[in-house]
Every structure is written in structure tokens, then in C-alpha cells.
Amino acid sequence: MDKVLKNDLEILEQLLETAASRGVSWLNKIDRTPTSVAPGQYGGTGSGGQRSSTKEGNGRVLDPEGAGGLEALNEFNRRFEPIMVASTGPRYWGFVTGGATPAAIVGDWLAAVYDQNTQTPKGPGDVSAVIELETINLLLQLFDLPGDFKGGFVSGAMMSNFTCLAVARQWAGRQLGRDVAREGVQQSLKVLSATPHSSAIKSLSLLGLGSANIVTVDTLSGNREAIDPAALEKAIQGLQGEPFILISSGGTVNTVDYDDLHAISLLKEKYRFWWHIDAAFGAFAALSPEHKHLLRGWENADSITIDAHKWLNVPYENAFFLVKEKHKTLQLETFRNSNAPYLGEQAENFNYLNYLPENSRRLKALPVWFTLLAYGRDGYRSIIENNILLARELGAYIEKSDDFQLLAPVRLNTVCFTLKAEPDRVPVFLERLNGSGKVFMTPTVYAGKAGIRAALVNWRTTADDVQVAIREMERAISV
Ligand SMILES: Cc1ncc(COP(=O)(O)O)c(C=O)c1O
């Protein structure tokens, strides 16, 4: 064994405890840690080792002899920790960025400690796939979804959309007598949607279905992003029985508008289509009695995307897909890892690698399992309801303000707004606002206007944080 490695083995406890204690110190000051850092600061914190002056910049030289884990940790703490932004903190409202609950961090750390490759619940092997199946079952209970969904963990909602739409593609091909997984895409397959998330469109590119081939269905009138069910039915009738894939929004990213899932579930009784719902963060409305109705009918979907690293507050990279068990054969056809006799017979011996994109995977379920056991349905309900309440508070302030203007009503946890007088100055405003390091929001374009999104999905956020954000917004607009 290499002598540096041997030394690290001898000081394993000290090494891991030091990393844990420095991590805890960082987390303990997260609400005072800046939410952004100017790129100019990236290079300015001094390096431990030598640096090369490559064309790309100041890359660090790889020392022939390693310095050991403690030295690497020291260099990380010296150079990078001071410029780590508080994206896991209470006022990071850009994109849809969840934090990490204490128990989720424990689960995530332990996933590295136990370092299992999650494959099959049937031995000989490890228990990790049993944990994954149990965790999916816990999630079905959390969302009050039926047990005829089966699921697995992938790296994010993008990959969950990809996984679900890959099975949808196989389904559509089969309806036309083709096996797309084996033969490739031989003919165009119809995909309908009103306001799909960009990652669903990206999935269509990756799947060879073509991002430009999407048939865009009208939305409801009156500042809505939700599909118009009447327009949808008309579009379906225009297809004259041709099978198609419908991508529904269970919470759009700009204004958290929901397609009428109940109306769509009724259409599903009349017409032949694969119904996919992207509910990356909108799924969590199921935990709020006031908003649960938004998901009425979603149990009849063929597949659903839900993110864990957003509103479940589990560390990146974590999401899951749900696909109806009756589509198991299509899923196997799609992801079958062929020509690998050493991995066993595929149809009989369930192995995750035959049902999702990756072959080897870490135990992504573990942080989810930990956080669900730790906080239960009530804990999550309180996170969701708190974020919704605080988004409303911010929305109410904007409604009364002379400077800002809502671009859409606050429907759930996201506030989409602009500058009343000069929407064109959004980039300048955001630069000032985010430059404060106190709060972080991201730009968008909604209904042709430059806008700003504040998405509240962090378990730590309080009413005080909303006040801090408002103060910073007023400061940034008045400069
Ligand atoms: C509705 C929706 N779908 C999919 C995604 C993609 O998620 P991820 O970044 O986890 O891949 C997002 C991200 O914001 C989203 O809001």
C-alpha cells in the first residue's frame, strides 16, 4: 500500500471527524454566508501546492506524491471553503434550489461510507436495492400515490424526465408495431405539451424524438401556463387515433401553474396516449391540504418525475421517477443491459440496471430514507406550508410596491415579478441584488417580459429572511 494511503488509514477517525467538524462549522454559519461570490474571487485565495499557468488559467499542479487527506482538506478549507456560496442556506432563491436537512446529510454521508452499488434486492449481494425499493414505497405514502407505481433514483428531474420519456417512446413505438429500443427511431412519434420544462425538451433531443417536433398545445387564456383541455382534445382528435405522448406540467417553473390533471385523466379514458407528468417540485403540493387538489387525477399518469434535491431538501444529485408497474416490460426493453450474461437473467431477476439509464449507481435512496424517517409527513408538510406562506408574504409586498410588479399571481412557492417602471433594467437590478450576497434570485422571461424568479424551497427559510430580501430589493432598486 502507498505510504500516504497507509497513513490515512491509520488516522481515518481523525480525518473524518475533522471533515465533519469543519462541515458542521460551515453549516452553523450558513445564514451569514454570502449567497454569491464574484468570479474575480475564485483565484484569489492562495494555493497550497504549485499552480500551473495553463492557457485556461491557474490550474493546480498534480503533485507526484500525494499530500494525504488532511492536507487536501486543509487546502480545500483554505482555498475553496471561503468562496463556497450559501446555496443550501435560507435565502438562496435562484432556480429551484433545495437545501439539505440534517438527516438527509447523514444519509448522504453514509452513502459514501457504505459505498454500495445499488443493483438487485435478490442476493447474493448487498441490501442497497432493498433500501431503494423501501424508500420508493415511503415516497408513494408521502404523496398519497398508489402502489402500482414502481420507481428508482436518478441524478435529477432532467434524468427522471429522460427515463420516463424513454419508456414512453418505447410504448409509442410498440403501438405502431416497432421496437424502438432495438430498431432505433424509424418514424416521427408525436409529443404534445403546453409549457414543458426545458429538461423535457432536452430529453426529446437525447431520445432522437427531436426537440422541434413537439406539438405545442394552447394554454388557458388569462395569464396562464396551464394547458387548455379543450384545445388538447381538439389536437388529439386531429391525430386521428395516432398514438402520442403527453407531457403535462405539475407545476411550471416560472409561475407554478398546473395543467388540469383531473381533466386530462378523463381524456385518458377516451384516447390512447402515454401520460407523463413533470412534477419536479410541484408534487409537494400534495402535502398541503389547501393545494392537494392541484394534483387531482395524477395517480392515473403512466409516469411521473419528482425531484428530491428540490423541495425534499436532500443534497444534490437526487431525483426519482415513477412508472406504472404494468409498463415493466416496456421499461425493461428500453433499459435492458444486453449481452452481459455475467449479470444474470434479466426478466426474472429484477436488477435496477435493466430499468434505468445508469448501470452503477451510489445508494441515492439513503438520504431520502433518512430524511423521511426523521421528519415524516408532518415535518414535510410544515416545510411546504411554510415556504408557500413566505412566498405569499413576498408576493403581497410586491403587489403593494410602487417599484415592483408581479408577472403572475403567487400560486405556490415561487414569486415571478419584474420592475414596474423599467423591466429592461432587470439584469442591472439583479446584479446589485445578488451582489449583496444576502439573497439570490435568478432572471427569467415571462410573457415576453424580463422578469425575476424567487423560488422558496428551503427548510430553513423564515419570515425574517423575507424581510432581509425585501430590504435588499429596496436597496438595489434605489441605487
Ligand atoms: C418542472 C421542472 N422539471 C425539471 C427540472 C430539472 O431538474 P434538475 O435540475 O433536477 O434536472 C426542473 C428544474 O428546475 C423543473 O423545475
Side-chain angles (χ1 to χ4, degrees), residues 250-265:
T252 56
V253 74
N254 265 337
T255 69
V256 202
D257 209 351
Y258 286 71
D259 289 351
D260 183 338
L261 304 181
H262 174 60
I264 295 171
S265 74

Side-chain angles (χ1 to χ4, degrees), residues 458-477:
N458 191 293
W459 66 282
R460 291 174 179 266
T461 310
T462 64
D464 286 348
D465 292 309
V466 174
Q467 292 312 313
V468 172
I470 290 173
R471 266 202 307 278
E472 292 305 322
M473 285 164 64
E474 288 175 351
R475 197 191 52 78
I477 194 119

Side-chain angles (χ1 to χ4, degrees), residues 95-96 155-159 161 197 199 251-253 278-281 305 307 309-310 319:
F95 315 103
V96 190
S155 57
M158 158 67 217
M159 282 312 292
N161 279 332
H197 186 262
S199 65
T252 56
V253 74
D278 180 349
F281 64 96
T305 282
D307 237 326
H309 57 217
K310 291 189 166 73

Side-chain angles (χ1 to χ4, degrees), residues 171 236 244-246 264 267-268 271-275 302:
W171 173 86
I236 296 175
F244 68 96
I245 299 164
L246 175 67
I264 295 171
L267 290 177
K268 192 144 164 67
Y271 303 102
R272 185 168 58 133
F273 60 97
W274 179 284
W275 185 20
D302 294 290

Side-chain angles (χ1 to χ4, degrees), residues 5 13 16 61 69 95 105 115 199 249 283 298 338 340 369 385 395:
L5 259 173
E13 191 172 338
L16 295 191
V61 168
F95 315 103
I105 295 174
D115 193 24
S199 65
S249 293
W298 72 327
S338 304
W369 186 92
E385 290 188 329

Side-chain angles (χ1 to χ4, degrees), residues 167-187:
V167 189
R169 183 186 68 171
Q170 187 67 5
W171 173 86
R174 281 289 184 203
Q175 301 302 303
L176 299 167
R178 320 292 312 216
D179 179 348
V180 176
R182 282 177 69 83
E183 299 163 18
V185 182
Q186 308 267 347
Q187 65 208 97

